[in-house]
Amino acid sequence: MAQRADLLELDCQLTRDGVVVVSHDENLSRQSGVNKDVGSLDFEELPLYKEELEVYFSPGHFARGSDRHMVRLEDVFQRFPRMPVSVEVKEENEKLIHKIASLVRHFDRNEITIWASEKSSVMKKCKAANPEMPLSFSRCRVIRLLLLYYLGLLPFVPIPERFLLCFLPTIINRTYFPFSCSGLNKLTAVVTKWLIMRKSLIQHLEQRGVQVVFWCLNEESDFEVAYSLGATGVMTDYPTALRRYLDNHRAAAPVS
């Protein structure tokens, strides 16, 4: 917030006693060293984060913080009432989805809280739970989007989504390793770079009101690649570094 971010991106899980918490992982081993799922514990039983956590998209770099408690989504909404937030739901947990939808309505955040999920089945439930919230593309919808683009049909097809939250292909095999096989990572990097990194595609989407945001970029060279493609914004683990880049290069470009 101190670096004037325009968007917060987070994932949510549900505790046993029905509290929506901000947590990327369902299992707490990586972040807390406790081999239990968030859903198996009450909110008050959740363990503290480790004193030191490796930054996933910057291998070999570590984050430290004084407050190691897990945060409720409600706490985020209360503290930052007008800050746009992207909320990702990873699994088909209808109770979690409806709790999030209810919190968004309660805090009058329908227009500034984004539904996000890689799974189309989850996105369908999210849309049903609160259709007033803007949508981001699921994985299947991205594949459909690319197919329509390369067939030349995209200009004639409605796009209900308002956000494309996508990994930047050039980070694969450098800071992002989606597969355990190095060869498969290299192939994925080549194919996705050819498919996604098209200025004309990004320009078309933005002309139709879709904001294109690349994740998760932690190096200045990657900021440059994203913004040279015409990206609306960038997600980063290092907002200070991104703010410095924007102030020095592209002061008007958004940060998240």
Side-chain angles (χ1 to χ4, degrees):
M1 293 299 292
Q3 301 303 322
R4 308 191 307 280
D6 299 289
L7 170 73
L8 301 180
E9 189 276 338
L10 48 83
D11 305 73
C12 283
Q13 307 288 346
L14 191 69
T15 63
R16 184 172 58 194
D17 55 343
V19 178
V20 181
V21 293
V22 176
S23 176
H24 181 278
D25 298 358
E26 164 68 6
N27 186 274
L28 295 164
S29 295
R30 181 173 67 96
Q31 62 205 46
S32 298
V34 177
N35 187 22
K36 290 187 177 182
D37 290 346
V38 173
S40 70
L41 300 171
D42 290 345
F43 177 70
E44 296 298 332
E45 298 173 332
L46 292 173
L48 297 175
Y49 281 104
K50 295 176 182 176
E51 292 185 4
E52 184 177 77
L53 281 173
E54 186 169 24
V55 181
Y56 184 83
F57 290 99
S58 291
H61 293 78
F62 294 85
R64 300 163 187 84
S66 57
D67 186 351
R68 293 158 52 207
H69 292 85
M70 198 169 291
V71 180
R72 302 179 303 172
L73 182 61
E74 182 176 356
D75 298 328
V76 176
F77 287 170
Q78 284 179 337
R79 186 165 181 184
F80 310 116
R82 303 318 303 162
M83 168 59 71
V85 176
S86 171
V87 179
E88 181 169 351
V89 180
K90 296 194 178 298
E91 302 298 334
E92 292 188 50
N93 185 332
E94 291 201 38
K95 187 177 180 182
L96 170 61
I97 291 168
H98 283 279
K99 288 261 187 181
I100 293 170
S102 178
L103 282 170
V104 169
R105 288 194 184 95
H106 177 75
F107 287 96
D108 191 24
R109 297 182 49 91
N110 289 325
E111 295 180 358
I112 59 170
T113 310
I114 306 156
W115 283 125
S117 181
E118 291 188 350
K119 299 181 179 179
S120 293
S121 56
V122 174
M123 287 300 293
K124 188 177 293 186
K125 294 180 187 299
C126 290
K127 183 179 179 181
N130 190 333
E132 296 178 60
M133 292 168 57
L135 305 174
S136 60
F137 282 87
S138 64
R139 184 183 296 149
C140 287
R141 292 282 296 174
V142 169
I143 294 171
R144 177 179 179 271
L145 169 76
L146 293 172
L147 181 62
L148 289 169
Y149 170 73
Y150 285 105
L151 289 174
L153 299 175
L154 189 56
F156 310 105
V157 178
I159 303 177
E161 292 87 354
R162 297 273 62 90
F163 290 85
L164 174 60
L165 311 176
C166 182
F167 67 89
L168 187 70
T170 53
I171 70 171
I172 295 178
N173 238 26
R174 288 198 302 110
T175 61
Y176 177 43
F177 303 89
F179 305 106
S180 56
C181 173
S182 176
L184 191 54
N185 282 327
K186 289 179 182 177
L187 177 63
T188 303
V190 171
V191 172
T192 56
K193 182 178 179 180
W194 186 87
L195 286 172
I196 296 171
M197 294 179 67
R198 302 281 178 171
K199 279 188 176 182
S200 57
L201 170 61
I202 294 171
Q203 184 178 33
H204 177 83
L205 291 172
E206 293 190 337
Q207 286 173 346
R208 297 183 64 180
V210 179
Q211 297 188 44
V212 180
V213 182
F214 286 112
W215 55 261
C216 180
L217 314 184
N218 292 336
E219 299 177 12
E220 187 169 306
S221 59
D222 293 320
F223 303 157
E224 182 63 33
V225 170
Y227 285 121
S228 67
L229 285 170
T232 315
V234 160
M235 294 183 193
T236 182
D237 295 311
Y238 295 97
T240 304
L242 181 52
R243 173 49 61 198
R244 187 186 310 117
Y245 169 82
L246 294 175
D247 287 346
N248 291 337
H249 295 83
R250 311 169 70 94
V255 49
S256 68

